[in-house]
């Protein structure tokens, strides 16, 4: 009788362990994390160091600048054009769409490097040190003077 109870107990453990291991919290949590893109954009604008005055642009301009058509939301701030400084925070429907957005953002930064190399070469350092992060369905780009942007973004994207 005691053996039956032990076998039953072991059998129950074998059934329960896989259920709990599925809740371990490991793996990519970025797809499950919700980020307030407006708050992230505003915090970057307020706390990261910029020479230029950055202004929020509308979705039509965002699409022209980044060549990204499909996004759920965007907070994009650009300057006068005298500097390469900008902030772009995107939310997409999926991680796959965000990965495509990442490629477009990288292309934008490369284009900016080509443009600024000839008329404001000092901006190349900012572009080379740009923070660009994609996590789950989110994409963040920040071209600024300081390391503060990276710290701010890490608070939102873990």
């Amino acid at each position: 009788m005691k053996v039956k109870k032990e076998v039953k107990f072991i059998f129950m453990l074998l059934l329960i362990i896989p259920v709990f291991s599925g809740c371990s919290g490991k793996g990519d949590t970025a797809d499950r994390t919700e980020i307030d893109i407006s708050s992230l954009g505003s915090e970057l604008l307020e706390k990261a160091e910029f020479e230029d005055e950055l202004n929020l642009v509308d979705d039509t301009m965002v699409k022209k600048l980044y060549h990204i058509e499909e996004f759920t939301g965007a907070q994009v701030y650009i300057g006068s054009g005298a500097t390469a400084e900008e902030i772009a925070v995107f939310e997409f429907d999926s991680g796959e769409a965000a990965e495509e957005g990442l490629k477009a953002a990288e292309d934008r930064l490369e284009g900016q490097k080509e443009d600024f190399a000839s008329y404001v070469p000092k901006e190349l350092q900012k572009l080379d040190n740009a923070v660009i992060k994609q996590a789950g369905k989110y994409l963040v780009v920040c071209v600024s003077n300081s390391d503060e942007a990276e710290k701010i973004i890490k608070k939102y994207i873990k």
Side-chain angles (χ1 to χ4, degrees):
M1 180 112 134
K2 188 175 181 182
V3 173
K4 257 186 171 179
K5 282 186 180 182
E6 288 175 355
V7 170
K8 199 179 215 182
F9 178 74
I10 291 171
F11 181 74
M12 291 296 284
L13 279 177
L14 290 173
L15 288 175
I16 293 173
I17 289 173
V19 171
F20 286 130
S21 66
C23 301
S24 68
K26 294 185 178 177
D28 182 17
T29 59
D31 284 331
R32 296 180 297 234
T33 301
E34 292 295 320
I35 296 173
D36 182 342
I37 63 171
S38 179
S39 293
L40 175 51
S42 295
E43 188 169 346
L44 286 168
L45 184 64
E46 291 171 22
K47 296 181 180 174
E49 185 181 324
F50 300 99
E51 290 175 35
D52 211 347
E53 182 179 332
L54 303 183
N55 295 295
L56 186 65
V57 296
D58 64 20
D59 287 353
T60 303
M61 181 61 80
V62 171
K63 291 175 183 180
K64 287 180 183 176
L65 293 172
Y66 278 86
H67 302 287
I68 298 173
E69 292 293 323
E70 300 298 322
F71 52 85
T72 306
Q75 290 285 299
V76 177
Y77 298 86
I78 62 170
S80 64
T83 69
E85 298 170 337
E86 66 184 54
I87 299 166
V89 184
F90 292 93
E91 180 178 355
F92 296 91
D93 285 331
S94 67
E96 293 81 22
E99 287 175 15
E100 300 228 355
L102 174 64
K103 291 174 190 160
E106 289 170 341
D107 288 346
R108 170 157 172 77
L109 289 176
E110 286 304 312
Q112 291 285 82
K113 287 178 186 178
E114 290 173 17
D115 293 343
F116 279 97
S118 61
Y119 75 95
V120 190
K122 73 177 186 112
E123 292 300 303
L124 291 176
Q125 183 177 357
K126 292 177 194 173
L127 289 162
D128 287 337
N129 295 323
V131 180
I132 183 166
K133 302 274 186 204
Q134 184 261 319
K137 63 182 185 173
Y138 299 96
L139 171 64
V140 183
V141 178
C142 188
V143 181
S144 70
N145 284 326
S146 70
D147 295 333
E148 191 63 30
E150 179 116 33
K151 294 174 190 171
I152 293 166
I153 293 166
K154 283 183 179 179
K155 287 188 335 187
Y156 287 83
I157 297 176
K158 296 176 175 60

